[in-house]
């Protein structure tokens, strides 16, 4: 019996090494974890609901420059990257959140805010959808055509992202609560978009096209951090995404500088999508939703381990996803990914070590969330990374010390959101 059991266990291990369990519907049964996240009693939260300083108002005006320069009056959409006429729903949400934030902190007036929101909503309710169900992953900001990621028109689209949709629904929830005059637009979107198509077994699913043959593929979307943050958007709008909301079902811990950092057990070897541990989804969760006890603890650990890296290496560290000004144009600078710590990879998983970047958006996020000497260092570094006529840069390359001169909706949108978080506490 012992030998039979040993043989069986070896067979299972060999099987795991050679197939993707998610493809066969067995992934959850094999890898699911039931772990309690140990939390602490006190966190050094920066006080919110306080007036902005003159310096902070000026920072907000510089960040808003991006949205003035990249607004497309034809559609009401804003370019994802400076002077590049394309956007994803994620980056469009950044621009919409930025518009609300600019209004709420007094940079633009109500008439201008109304004009921009109305035009964007009109486009959102009339634009073509992938498979007539949900927004395509990318759109041209001038023509409103569905495009590929390199902005080539494609009549059939390239799929949808439930992550992007989830973040957009967070914006919709904020509209319903604070701006009821636009609620009819949100209802029209809900009626036109088949939001239930992005949900399967109370989890989030996306559609992509295979690199091999271009065939449509349905995939589970989101790893730890992103999955729960984006799931909250669906939940707030009344959808059952209870399986996507569980921080502990696929969690595992790795120790870095003595800190137990949470990552997703679904490694890319067995499951589609990389399990990046980055700061971004936790920061967005804090400023857009308000932390729950699990997201606060996991976010604080990610902050602490970056602080400890600085203390051990003297490298000022603020890691996250970011556009860059050279190929491959976008990277995930991670605390952990695919078995490696402090690793930077492209979206395809290729090594991008030389492009590790101190992230302006992450620095601002941590500063306004945590009252700590290290977050103050991050803020002092990031607050001067701007062109006064264009907005804030994405960051600084760790190896060369050169500025990453990419200027984007996401970075400048997060800066405006963090300022609004300080002034108004929660943006919802």
């Amino acid at each position: 019996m012992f030998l039979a059991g040993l043989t069986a266990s070896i067979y299972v291990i060999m099987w795991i090494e050679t197939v993707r369990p998610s493809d066969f519907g067995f992934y959850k049964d094999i890898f699911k974890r039931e772990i309690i996240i140990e939390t602490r009693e006190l966190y050094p939260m920066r006080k919110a609901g306080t007036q902005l300083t003159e310096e902070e108002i000026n920072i907000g005006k510089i960040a808003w420059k991006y949205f003035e320069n990249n607004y497309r009056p034809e559609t009401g959409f804003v370019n994802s990257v400076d002077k590049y006429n394309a956007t994803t729903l994620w980056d469009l949400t950044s621009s919409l959140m930025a518009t609300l934030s600019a209004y709420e902190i007094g940079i633009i007036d109500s008439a201008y805010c109304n004009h921009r929101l109305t035009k964007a909503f009109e486009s959102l309710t009339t634009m073509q959808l992938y498979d007539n169900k949900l927004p395509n992953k990318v759109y041209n900001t001038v023509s409103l055509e569905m495009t590929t990621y390199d902005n080539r028109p494609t009549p059939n689209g390239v799929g949808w992202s439930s992550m992007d949709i989830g973040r957009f629904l967070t914006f919709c929830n904020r509209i319903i609560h604070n701006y009821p005059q636009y609620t009819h637009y949100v209802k029209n979107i809900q009626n036109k978009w088949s939001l239930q198509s992005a949900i399967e077994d109370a989890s989030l699913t996306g559609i992509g096209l295979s690199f091999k043959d271009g065939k449509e593929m349905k995939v589970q979307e989101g790893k730890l951090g992103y999955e729960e943050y984006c799931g909250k958007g669906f939940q707030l709008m009344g959808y059952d995404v209870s399986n996507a909301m569980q921080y502990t079902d696929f969690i595992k811990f790795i120790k870095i500088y003595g800190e137990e950092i949470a990552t997703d057990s679904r490694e890319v070897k067995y499951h589609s999508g990389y399990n990046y541990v980055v700061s971004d989804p936790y920061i967005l969760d804090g400023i857009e939703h308000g932390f729950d006890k699990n997201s606060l603890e996991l976010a604080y650990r990610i902050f602490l381990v970056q602080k400890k890296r600085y203390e051990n290496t003297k490298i000022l560290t603020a890691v996250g996803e970011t556009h860059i000004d050279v190929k491959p144009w976008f990277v995930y600078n991670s605390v952990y990914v695919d078995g490696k710590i402090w690793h930077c990879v492209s979206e395809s998983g290729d090594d991008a070590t030389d492009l590790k970047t101190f992230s302006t958006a992450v620095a601002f996020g941590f500063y306004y969330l945590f009252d700590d000497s290290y977050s103050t260092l991050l803020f002092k570094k990031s607050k001067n990374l701007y062109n006064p006529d264009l907005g804030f840069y994405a960051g600084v390359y760790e190896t060369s010390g050169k500025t990453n001169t990419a200027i984007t909706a996401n970075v400048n949108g997060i800066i405006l959101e963090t300022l609004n978080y300080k002034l108004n506490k929660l943006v919802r």
Side-chain angles (χ1 to χ4, degrees):
M1 291 177 64
F2 171 77
L3 290 175
L6 181 61
T7 301
S9 65
I10 291 172
Y11 174 78
V12 170
I13 292 170
M14 291 175 64
W15 176 77
I16 289 171
E17 292 289 334
T18 56
V19 303
R20 291 179 179 270
S22 57
D23 296 338
F24 296 90
F26 299 135
Y27 194 89
K28 185 176 291 186
D29 293 334
I30 293 174
F31 292 94
K32 188 168 183 177
R33 303 288 189 268
E34 294 293 345
I35 296 175
I36 296 175
I37 299 171
E38 294 184 5
T39 59
R40 61 200 77 203
E41 292 185 6
L42 295 174
Y43 298 86
M45 305 304 296
R46 191 171 297 279
K47 185 178 180 181
T50 59
Q51 291 297 312
L52 300 179
T53 65
E54 184 177 343
E55 178 185 47
E56 289 171 324
I57 292 293
N58 187 55
I59 285 171
K61 290 178 179 178
I62 294 170
W64 181 247
K65 279 286 187 180
Y66 178 88
F67 299 97
E68 290 181 339
N69 295 340
N70 286 278
Y71 178 73
R72 303 304 311 187
E74 303 91 336
T75 61
F77 284 7
V78 174
N79 300 334
S80 287
V81 180
D82 189 43
K83 299 181 178 63
Y84 187 67
N85 295 331
T87 190
T88 64
L89 195 61
W90 183 284
D91 293 329
L92 179 61
T93 303
S94 290
S95 71
L96 294 169
M97 290 290 202
T99 301
L100 292 182
S101 295
Y103 167 63
E104 290 175 1
I105 64 180
I107 293 174
I108 62 174
D109 62 26
S110 59
Y112 189 42
C113 178
N114 174 69
H115 170 74
R116 290 179 71 126
L117 290 178
T118 299
K119 187 63 178 179
F121 272 127
E122 289 173 351
S123 293
L124 283 160
T125 53
T126 59
M127 67 188 188
Q128 185 182 358
L129 303 177
Y130 179 84
D131 197 24
N132 293 317
K133 292 180 179 178
L134 289 167
N136 187 53
K137 290 183 177 181
V138 198
Y139 287 88
N140 185 289
T141 55
V142 177
S143 68
L144 213 59
E145 291 178 290
M146 297 192 297
T147 68
T148 61
Y149 277 108
D150 57 357
N151 209 22
R152 289 180 291 108
T154 173
N156 297 321
V158 292
W160 72 66
S161 168
S162 59
M163 297 291 98
D164 293 11
I165 295 167
R167 187 175 183 218
F168 174 75
L169 293 179
T170 294
F171 165 76
C172 289
N173 180 70
R174 186 172 168 218
I175 287 292
I176 290 170
H177 277 81
N178 297 339
Y179 298 90
Q181 65 269 36
Y182 303 109
T183 298
H184 65 287
Y185 286 116
V186 174
K187 289 183 177 179
N188 288 341
I189 287 171
Q190 283 187 289
N191 290 333
K192 184 176 180 181
W193 296 8
S194 178
L195 290 165
Q196 194 62 45
S197 297
I199 304 169
E200 187 173 293
D201 188 28
S203 295
L204 301 179
T205 60
I207 295 293
L209 303 181
S210 169
F211 288 112
K212 293 181 179 179
D213 53 22
K215 290 184 178 179
E216 182 181 284
M217 303 183 301
K218 179 182 286 189
V219 295
Q220 179 274 334
E221 274 201 338
K223 295 296 191 295
L224 184 68
Y226 281 105
E227 185 176 14
E228 293 78 13
Y229 160 65
C230 295
K232 289 179 181 179
F234 281 91
Q235 184 187 56
L236 289 168
M237 295 299 289
Y239 294 89
D240 178 15
V241 288
S242 50
N243 284 333
M245 301 290 292
Q246 301 298 319
Y247 282 95
T248 57
D249 52 0
F250 296 111
I251 200 169
K252 73 173 183 179
F253 293 95
I254 55 170
K255 187 168 286 190
I256 309 174
Y257 292 127
E259 289 295 327
E260 293 282 352
I261 300 301
T263 185
D264 200 300
S265 62
R266 294 169 289 186
E267 300 279 358
V268 71
K269 186 174 184 179
Y270 308 120
H271 191 267
S272 59
Y274 285 86
N275 57 348
Y276 317 103
V277 177
V278 291
S279 312
D280 310 71
Y282 296 102
I283 288 172
L284 289 171
D285 188 41
I287 64 176
E288 292 179 2
H289 295 136
F291 286 122
D292 59 54
K293 68 174 186 177
N294 285 331
S295 63
L296 174 55
E297 177 62 30
L298 299 183
Y300 189 56
R301 292 185 192 186
I302 288 173
F303 168 74
L304 280 180
V305 80
Q306 294 178 68
K307 177 180 179 179
K308 289 187 176 182
R309 182 175 185 250
Y310 169 73
E311 291 172 345
N312 280 269
T313 66
K314 301 306 176 186
I315 299 172
L316 204 58
T317 304
V319 302
E321 61 172 73
T322 184
H323 285 85
I324 54 176
D325 56 9
V326 294
K327 288 183 178 181
W329 310 116
F330 194 92
V331 295
Y332 289 88
N333 188 22
S334 309
V335 175
Y336 172 93
V337 59
D338 197 25
K340 300 176 182 179
I341 64 172
W342 307 117
H343 191 44
C344 185
V345 296
S346 69
E347 290 187 279
S348 61
D350 294 333
D351 181 82
T353 302
D354 291 342
L355 301 172
K356 283 184 179 180
T357 301
F358 169 94
S359 167
T360 303
V362 168
F364 268 86
F366 278 143
Y367 175 72
Y368 284 102
L369 288 169
F370 299 126
D371 188 359
D372 183 276
S373 60
Y374 183 65
S375 67
T376 301
L377 282 177
L378 296 180
F379 180 68
K380 287 180 178 178
K381 172 77 171 181
S382 60
K383 70 178 182 178
N384 297 315
L385 295 173
Y386 64 83
N387 179 314
D389 298 319
L390 301 176
F392 278 81
Y393 296 120
V396 176
Y397 291 115
E398 189 173 285
T399 302
S400 67
K402 294 181 178 178
T403 300
N404 172 7
T405 59
I407 302 179
T408 69
N410 197 47
V411 169
N412 287 280
I414 287 176
I415 289 171
L416 284 162
E417 281 195 79
T418 57
L419 295 171
N420 195 23
Y421 171 82
K422 181 194 174 184
L423 181 63
N424 296 306
K425 193 170 178 66
L426 290 180
V427 298
R428 181 166 66 84

